[in-house]
C-alpha cells in the first residue's frame, strides 16, 4: 500500500522529509495511515498468510532473491534519496545497502538448506514399559502476519527491506511495515522494490504492505490489530515499551521484539592500559563518534580502575573527542534528545565534562558535538540516570578505586546489547569474576575491540536483557533472527502422508534433524 496523495485522502496533513544537513524540505508528500488503511493492510496480510506459508522454501527464497535484486537495481536513486533524508555519507549508505542485500541472500540460503526448522523426531517405542511411547515429531512454523517498525538510524538494513522484514518473510510470515517518518521517500523506494519482487515471483496479494505515520496511534493500532501475530521494533525505550505494553494488553497478547537502548559498557583492565592506553583511546574515540554516535552499539559507558595509565587514557580520549568535528544527526528530534541527555547528566553533582567539542555549524538544530563526561564509582552507583543511554557521540567515564568497585558496577548494570573488555590474558584471569557477571548482563561480549559494527552471520547475537530488548533469548541480526517469527508444533502418531516433508522418515530435503536425541541427516 502506498500513502501518496490521491482523491480519497482529502485534506489530510502530509508528511514531508527534511534534509538535516541543510534544513531543506524535500519533494514528496506522504500521509498518515487511517485506521481503515491499517485494517485493510492487516487483513490482506492475514488472507495472504496460509497460501504464502504453504509455498516451498525454494519459492520463498526466489522471492527474497528478487527483493535483493530489485533493491540493488534502485541504484543511485535510492542512495541519493537516503543521503538527502539523513545526511549520512555516501560511503556509509553504500555499505549499508550492501549489508541489506547480503542479509537478504543469507536468509534465502538459510531457508533453502532448511535445517533451521529444528526438526526433532522421537520414534515410537511400543514395547516400552510401563507405558509405550507414541511417535512424536516437532518443527517450527510461521506465526502469522508480522508488524515491522522502521528504524531512524539504519534506513536500509533495519527498515523496510531490512533484517526484520526479511527474516519474517523467510519464516513464511507476511509483513506490514510502519515506515519511519524521518525517511519516507527512502522507505517508499525500498517498498517499491519489495512490491515489484512480489509481483515478479507471483507471491500472494497482501504478502507485503507499508504504512506511514507520525503519531503513536498508527503503531498502536497496528500492533493491536487481531490479524497481527508478532512485531519487531528498533528505537527508543519509550516508544518500544509503548508498543510492547499495547501488545501485551490485547485480548490475545502477541510477542514484540523491541530493541530499545544500550550504553554498551567498556571495561578497561589494568594490563591493557599499561600496554596500550593511547591505542585504546584512539579506537574508543572513533567508536563513540562513528555515525555521530547514532549506533545502538555506541560505547556510551567506560569503566576503569584509577592509575597513571588510566589517566593517560582519559586525557588522550578527551583530546580526540574534543577535536572531533560536529556530526549531523538524522533528524532534529534526535539531536534535541541528545542535548537534553547530556545536560541532565552534567547537572548531577560529582559529574563533570572532561572534554567536549566546540564550534557552531550552519544547522545547530541537527549538529551534535562529542563529549566525554567523567565521574567516580560512588557517584555512578548513587544515580540511576548515569546508567541510561545517551544516544549520540558521548560517553560517561567511571573511575573506580579498585577492582572490587569495577565488579560492583558490573553487577549493578541493567541489560545491554554488548559489553567490551580490553585486557591481557592475565587480566582475564585476575578479573574472571567480571566476565562471569557480564555474561548475565549482555548479549555479546567483545574482547580487545569495540562494539560498533555488527557482523551479519549465523553466530551473531544482537539482543540483550531488558531494557536493551524485550526478549534476551532472541536476536535481530544474523540468521537466528528468523526464530522471532516462528513457534513449534508437535505431531503425535501421524501417518507419513500427513506429515510435513521435514518430518517424514525418508528426509527428502536432506536436513539435519535430531532423531532419538542424535543429530543426523540419515533417513529414519
Amino acid at each position: 500500500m502506498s500513502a501518496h496523495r490521491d482523491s480519497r485522502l482529502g485534506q489530510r496533513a502530509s508528511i514531508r522529509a527534511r534534509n538535516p544537513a541543510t534544513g531543506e524540505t524535500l519533494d514528496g508528500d506522504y500521509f498518515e495511515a487511517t485506521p481503515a488503511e491499517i485494517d485493510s493492510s492487516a487483513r490482506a496480510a492475514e488472507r495472504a498468510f496460509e497460501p504464502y506459508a504453504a509455498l516451498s522454501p525454494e519459492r520463498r527464497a526466489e522471492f527474497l532473491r528478487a527483493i535483493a535484486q530489485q533493491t540493488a537495481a534502485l541504484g543511485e536513486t535510492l542512495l541519493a534519496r537516503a543521503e538527502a533524508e539523513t545526511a549520512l555519507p555516501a560511503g556509509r549508505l553504500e555499505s549499508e545497502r550492501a549489508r541489506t542485500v547480503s542479509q537478504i541472500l543469507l536468509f534465502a540460503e538459510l531457508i533453502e538448506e532448511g535445517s533451521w526448522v529444528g526438526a526433532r523426531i522421537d520414534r515410537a517405542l511400543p514395547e516400552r514399559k510401563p507405558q509405550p511411547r507414541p511417535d512424536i515429531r516437532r518443527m517450527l512454523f510461521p506465526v502469522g502476519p508480522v508488524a515491522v517498525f522502521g528504524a531512524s538510524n539504519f534506513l536500509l538494513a533495519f527498515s523496510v527491506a531490512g533484517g526484520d522484514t526479511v527474516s519474517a518473510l523467510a519464516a513464511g510470515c507476511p509483513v506490514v511495515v510502519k515506515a519511519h517518518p524521518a525517511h519516507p521517500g527512502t522507505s517508499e523506494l525500498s517498498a517499491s522494490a519489495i512490491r515489484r519482487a512480489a509481483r515478479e515471483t507471483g507471491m500472494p496479494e497482501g504478502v507485503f504492505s507499508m504504512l506511514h505515520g507520525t503519531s503513536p496511534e498508527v503503531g498502536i493500532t497496528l500492533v493491536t490489530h487481531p490479524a497481527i501475530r508478532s512485531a519487531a521494533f528498533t528505537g527508543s525505550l519509550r516508544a518500544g515499551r509503548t508498543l510492547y505494553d499495547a501488545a501485551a494488553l490485547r485480548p490475545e497478547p502477541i510477542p514484540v521484539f523491541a530493541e530499545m537502548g544500550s550504553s554498551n559498557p567498556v571495561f578497561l583492565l589494568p594490563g591493557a592500559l599499561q600496554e596500550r592506553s593511547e591505542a585504546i583511546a584512539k579506537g574508543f574515540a572513533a567508536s563513540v563518534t562513528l555515525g555521530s554516535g547514532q549506533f545502538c552499539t555506541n560505547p556510551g559507558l567506560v569503566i576503569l580502575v584509577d592509575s597513571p595509565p588510566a589517566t593517560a587514557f582519559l586525557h588522550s580520549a578527551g583530546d580526540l573527542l574534543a577535536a572531533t568535528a560536529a556530526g549531523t544527526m538524522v533528524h532534529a528530534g534526535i539531536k534535541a534528545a541528545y542535548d537534553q541527555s547530556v545536560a541532565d547528566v552534567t547537572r548531577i553533582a560529582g559529574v563533570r565534562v572532561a572534554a567536549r567539542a566546540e564550534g557552531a555549524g550552519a544547522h545547530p538544530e541537527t549538529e551534535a558535538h562529542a563529549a566525554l563526561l567523567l565521574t567516580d564509582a560512588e557517584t555512578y552507583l548513587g544515580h540511576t540516570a548515569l546508567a541510561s543511554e545517551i544516544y549520540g557521540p558521548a560517553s560517561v567515564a567511571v573511575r573506580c578505586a579498585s577492582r572490587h568497585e569495577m565488579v560492583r558496577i558490573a553487577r549493578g548494570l541493567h541489560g545491554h546489547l554488548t559489553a567490551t573488555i580490553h585486557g591481557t590474558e592475565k587480566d582475564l584471569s585476575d578479573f574472571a569474576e567480571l566476565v562471569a557477571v557480564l555474561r548475565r548482563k549482555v548479549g555479546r561480549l567483545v574482547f580487545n575491540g569495540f562494539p560498533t559494527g555488527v557482523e551479519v552471520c549465523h553466530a551473531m547475537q544482537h539482543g540483550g536483557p531488558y531494557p536493551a530488548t524485550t526478549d534476551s533469548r532472541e536476536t535481530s541480526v544474523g540468521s537466528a533472527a528468523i526464530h522471532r517469527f516462528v513457534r513449534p508444533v508437535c505431531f503425535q502418531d501421524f501417518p507419513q502422508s500427513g506429515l510435513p516433508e521435514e518430518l517424514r522418515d525418508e528426509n527428502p530435503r536432506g536436513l539435519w534433524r535430531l532423531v532419538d536425541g542424535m543429530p543426523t541427516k540419515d533417513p529414519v
Side-chain angles (χ1 to χ4, degrees), residues 162-362:
D164 292 338
T165 295
V166 173
S167 56
L169 291 173
C173 300
V175 171
V176 180
V177 169
K178 158 65 173 62
H180 196 283
H183 42 78
T186 305
S187 297
E188 278 291 343
L189 287 168
S190 292
S192 72
I194 300 176
R195 288 191 287 262
R196 281 194 295 271
R199 290 193 298 270
E200 176 185 299
T201 56
M203 292 297 109
E205 187 73 24
V207 72
F208 170 84
S209 60
M210 190 180 75
L211 306 165
H212 290 278
T214 58
S215 68
E217 286 74 17
V218 173
I220 292 171
T221 302
L222 182 58
V223 299
T224 56
H225 194 286
I228 299 298
R229 310 309 302 165
S230 184
F233 168 87
T234 300
S236 70
L237 175 60
R238 182 174 65 178
R241 187 56 194 259
T242 296
L243 295 173
Y244 180 84
D245 289 347
L249 291 172
R250 289 170 42 141
E252 188 177 354
I254 62 168
V256 174
F257 182 89
E259 182 195 320
M260 300 177 294
S262 178
S263 296
N264 306 295
V266 176
F267 291 83
L268 305 182
L269 305 188
L273 285 174
Q274 182 68 43
E275 289 183 357
R276 49 190 177 87
S277 67
E278 185 173 348
I280 296 172
K282 288 180 180 177
F284 172 76
S287 187
V288 169
T289 57
L290 183 66
S292 299
Q294 298 170 108
F295 282 76
C296 51
T297 51
N298 187 56
L301 184 63
V302 58
I303 301 101
L304 65 174
V305 177
D306 199 13
S307 67
T311 299
F313 164 83
L314 292 171
H315 285 157
S316 295
D319 289 345
L320 290 164
L321 292 173
T324 302
T328 302
M329 304 192 88
V330 296
H331 61 79
I334 288 182
K335 165 56 162 49
Y338 170 66
D339 285 346
Q340 186 63 55
S341 295
V342 172
D344 289 344
V345 168
T346 54
R347 278 195 292 267
I348 297 172
V351 177
R352 68 178 180 89
V353 178
R356 187 161 193 180
E358 301 292 344

Side-chain angles (χ1 to χ4, degrees), residues 266-276 280 303-305 307 309 403 406 420-424 426-432 434-435 447-448:
V266 176
F267 291 83
L268 305 182
L269 305 188
L273 285 174
Q274 182 68 43
E275 289 183 357
R276 49 190 177 87
I280 296 172
I303 301 101
L304 65 174
V305 177
S307 67
R403 177 173 60 187
M406 177 179 275
T420 296
I421 297 172
H422 279 265
T424 63
K426 182 178 185 303
D427 283 331
L428 283 183
S429 176
D430 291 344
F431 286 78
L434 175 66
V435 178
F447 184 65
N448 285 347

